[in-house]
Amino acid sequence: MSELADSAVNILLVDDSPSVRTVLRTLLCGLGVTRIYEATDREEAFIMARVCRPDLALIDHDLGRTSGVELIAAFRDTATSPMPELPLILLAPTGMEYLAEQAREAGADAVLPKPVTARMLGERILQLTGQAEAGEALARKQA
């Protein structure tokens, strides 16, 4: 599945667990994403956003001292955020619908269930980065 291979999407991955970041990085690499930046908390995420200018951020619901919902709200704060318009996806455990609602209220563009599949992730990234049409054309070309 190389839906994103030709799209040159930059992804900011925010999770405090190294093993989860490794799994997500593997999924993203399998989709063809080659520019993945990692952060463990709000401070690192803001630094990476300023420096790397990602096209989208994947944010875990539990970041240790803070929550993914709080980070989403911080990204949407136009007074302090380095990228208030950055598309944001919250990754939340299945069965925690209240998190999805809170995330949307905070400004999340999407909420995906954990464990997330490569297909789900790829489709949502293409959609949120405005590259869904390019992905459909690539899929037709590969068929």
Side-chain angles (χ1 to χ4, degrees), residues 42-59:
R42 175 188 167 163
E43 184 177 318
E44 285 183 2
F46 274 27
I47 290 169
M48 295 306 286
R50 276 187 200 97
V51 173
C52 302
R53 308 302 293 173
D55 299 305
L56 180 138
L58 295 174
I59 301 171

Side-chain angles (χ1 to χ4, degrees), residues 1-5 7 9 11 24 27-28 30-33 56 58 89 91 112 116-136:
M1 188 176 235
S2 59
E3 296 174 354
L4 300 168
S7 64
V9 175
I11 304 287
L24 291 170
L27 284 175
L28 291 167
L31 290 168
V33 177
L56 180 138
L58 295 174
I89 298 175
L91 300 175
L112 294 179
V116 66
T117 65
R119 181 183 192 108
M120 258 191 288
L121 193 55
E123 288 173 357
R124 194 52 61 126
I125 290 169
L126 285 169
Q127 180 186 44
L128 292 175
T129 58
Q131 298 180 23
E133 292 172 8
E136 291 168 8

Side-chain angles (χ1 to χ4, degrees), residues 71-129:
L71 179 57
I72 288 168
F75 262 110
R76 292 298 181 239
D77 182 350
T78 56
T80 60
S81 175
M83 296 183 74
E85 299 300 320
L86 180 67
L88 305 171
I89 298 175
L90 181 76
L91 300 175
T94 303
M96 297 182 81
E97 287 74 22
Y98 71 94
L99 275 178
E101 186 176 323
Q102 290 175 352
R104 286 186 186 95
E105 288 174 5
D109 294 287
V111 178
L112 294 179
K114 286 174 72 176
V116 66
T117 65
R119 181 183 192 108
M120 258 191 288
L121 193 55
E123 288 173 357
R124 194 52 61 126
I125 290 169
L126 285 169
Q127 180 186 44
L128 292 175
T129 58

